[in-house]
Amino acid sequence: MKDFIEFVLGNFTLTFLFIGLFFSLVVLSTKQKPLDRQQIIEAFFSYFLLFSMGISFLYNFIFHVFFAEMAASFIGWENSPFQYEVGYASLGFAIVGIIAFKQSLGFRAAAVIGPSFFLWGAAGGHIYQMITAHNFSPGNAGIIFWTDVILPIIAFALLHQQYKQETVVLPTRQ
């Protein structure tokens, strides 16, 4: 059980992705059938934003700011003021992600774009650390690295799906 808890807490990005998926499925199971595409996209996107962008970044904020030594060790770094910068950036993304849970497409786009490029930048930093410092710590080269790559892809795919649902094709002039 201890190993499971450590896995869940240490791989929080994956944990919150699955929690968001779970809540999406619960919400969809309570809706009147048949479900339409818009309801499905809304459920998956809103809970993705809440958990993978909002609460996950809030967890990251807490981890980097209040448990900086532990966070640095997990990533394979020495503790530095950079920990706090990552933490406070994460707090900003968390707030936007939580607010985006029930907001418009434009607000949701902002909640996806900033954190996604942050995550891809972090993934680039992880790759650099793997190559130059041979840092294969779980917090640098494990599931965290892969979710830094994959979560933005999921976010942009969901954003695109919602955009397609909300875009009304205007009639052409004759």
Side-chain angles (χ1 to χ4, degrees), residues 26-69:
V26 168
V27 165
L28 289 171
S29 73
T30 65
K31 300 243 183 232
Q32 187 174 356
K33 309 302 185 270
L35 297 170
D36 65 30
R37 185 173 173 80
Q38 188 170 2
Q39 289 173 305
I40 295 167
I41 292 165
E42 174 59 24
F44 283 109
F45 195 22
S46 62
Y47 284 97
F48 175 84
L49 288 167
L50 180 62
F51 287 100
S52 288
M53 293 294 161
I55 297 173
S56 181
F57 273 103
L58 182 61
Y59 182 96
N60 199 48
F61 158 72
I62 292 167
F63 196 51
H64 279 283
V65 171
F66 299 105
F67 302 97
E69 282 290 332

Side-chain angles (χ1 to χ4, degrees), residues 53 57 93 109-125 148-149 151-153 155-156 159:
M53 293 294 161
F57 273 103
F93 292 139
V112 165
I113 293 167
S116 291
F117 282 92
F118 175 83
L119 291 173
W120 280 335
D148 282 356
V149 173
L151 287 177
I153 294 169
F156 280 113
L159 179 65

Side-chain angles (χ1 to χ4, degrees), residues 64-129:
H64 279 283
V65 171
F66 299 105
F67 302 97
E69 282 290 332
M70 186 187 328
S73 174
F74 180 67
I75 299 167
W77 295 345
E78 294 294 322
N79 193 15
S80 75
F82 179 69
Q83 290 283 102
Y84 301 96
E85 292 178 20
V86 169
Y88 285 107
S90 294
L91 177 61
F93 292 139
I95 292 167
V96 172
I98 291 166
I99 294 170
F101 175 58
K102 292 294 180 189
Q103 292 298 318
S104 68
L105 180 65
F107 196 98
R108 287 179 169 190
V112 165
I113 293 167
S116 291
F117 282 92
F118 175 83
L119 291 173
W120 280 335
H126 293 311
I127 291 169
Y128 179 80
Q129 287 293 307

